[in-house]
Amino acid sequence: AQSVSQHNHHVILSEAASLELGCNYSYGGTVNLFWYVQYPGQHLQLLLKYFSGDPLVKGIKGFEAEFIKSKFSFNLRKPSVQWSDTAEYFCAVNVLGGLTGGGNKLTFGTGTQLKVEL
Amino acid sequence: NAGVTQTPKFQVLKTGQSMTLQCAQDMNHNSMYWYRQDPGMGLRLIYYSASEGTTDKGEVPNGYNVSRLNKREFSLRLESAAPSQTSVYFCASSEAEFYGYTFGSGTRLTVV
């Protein structure tokens, strides 16, 4: 079964610092990759996604991620974080045809709690 | 706004009580999902429904049942709640694998 690893469980940064959150997955087939963000007390919202083409994808709020197939990685980056970026970030992988009977199963990492200090 | 609506938002149950979590989506999505979120464990799939009329078990189905009432609605039932089911429950829907999921706002359930 596929798995998703997020190695940084808690990250604390000062405003304007650069951010990189790691995400590795364990599946050799065709995958779609996602980053979701969960602000305190809210539901998960899609930040960005990768299906094919340019491995550098840009999402909302200045976030971007790079898909490196050889490393099975999909790291999230932001050049300059803001206090409002304080949230939990989840990497997710969708293995095509990964569910019996259809549907698409997203496998989530355990999340990274980001705290941005003023 | 279009999206996924979950009710209730908060619930406290006593051990052994039953309850149903409701979920409805108005995006005409075929697939719907129930996840639970626990600290340090990310989101784990409980049950899913790939299309109207079908349901299947996910990673952690024990203690739960589901009903896909129609294309819009997908409910999750706890027949006899246990403290281990204290969690935040999210419903989600999707159209196809390219679009990821749209999540509901969650139900925070505490079983005492």
Side-chain angles (χ1 to χ4, degrees):
Chain A
Q2 67 270 20
S3 65
V4 180
S5 298
Q6 292 182 244
H7 307 294
N8 312 105
H9 299 295
H10 291 90
V11 174
I12 301 175
L13 295 173
S14 299
E15 265 203 331
S18 64
L19 169 72
E20 181 161 3
L21 301 182
C23 173
N24 289 89
Y25 63 94
S26 64
Y27 185 74
T30 301
V31 296
N32 296 328
L33 300 159
F34 304 84
W35 275 98
Y36 283 84
V37 60
Q38 185 178 29
Y39 298 103
Q42 296 189 26
H43 63 283
L44 280 79
Q45 302 170 47
L46 183 65
L47 262 183
L48 48 78
K49 57 191 176 187
Y50 172 81
F51 301 135
S52 63
D54 189 345
L56 184 63
V57 293
K58 295 188 183 299
I60 61 172
K61 304 186 181 186
F63 286 91
E64 63 180 31
E66 184 175 13
F67 171 52
I68 303 179
K69 190 174 183 179
S70 60
K71 295 185 178 180
F72 298 90
S73 70
F74 190 56
N75 292 352
L76 181 71
R77 300 195 292 246
K78 187 171 184 180
S80 175
V81 295
Q82 300 174 310
W83 178 80
S84 58
D85 293 324
T86 294
E88 188 160 19
Y89 293 81
F90 292 92
C91 181
V93 175
N94 175 23
V95 176
L96 301 189
L99 280 178
T100 302
N104 54 306
K105 177 189 174 185
L106 286 186
T107 298
F108 288 85
T110 53
T112 298
Q113 282 278 5
L114 171 65
K115 182 178 180 182
V116 180
E117 297 178 330
L118 295 171
Chain B
N1 283 343
V4 179
T5 302
Q6 287 183 238
T7 56
K9 293 189 184 302
F10 301 94
Q11 184 71 48
V12 179
L13 291 179
K14 294 182 179 178
T15 298
Q17 287 186 316
S18 63
M19 79 162 294
T20 299
L21 281 64
Q22 307 287 352
C23 175
Q25 53 93 9
D26 57 6
M27 296 169 287
N28 204 37
H29 287 171
N30 283 315
S31 302
M32 298 185 73
Y33 311 82
W34 277 105
Y35 280 82
R36 59 178 288 174
Q37 182 182 25
D38 301 290
M41 303 189 75
L43 283 84
R44 293 179 292 170
L45 183 63
I46 305 171
Y47 270 93
Y48 66 98
S49 172
S51 59
E52 186 178 357
T54 70
T55 60
D56 285 283
K57 295 178 180 179
E59 304 166 61
V60 289
N62 291 345
Y64 305 96
N65 284 300
V66 291
S67 296
R68 183 75 182 264
L69 304 169
N70 47 55
K71 192 171 185 179
R72 291 186 62 248
E73 298 172 287
F74 187 41
S75 62
L76 178 72
R77 183 161 178 83
L78 287 70
E79 291 292 351
S80 178
S84 61
Q85 294 177 304
T86 293
S87 187
V88 181
Y89 292 85
F90 287 101
C91 178
S93 69
S94 72
E95 178 56 29
E97 61 264 18
F98 302 108
Y99 303 112
Y101 292 173
T102 300
F103 282 89
S105 55
T107 296
R108 186 173 294 275
L109 175 66
T110 302
V111 183
V112 298

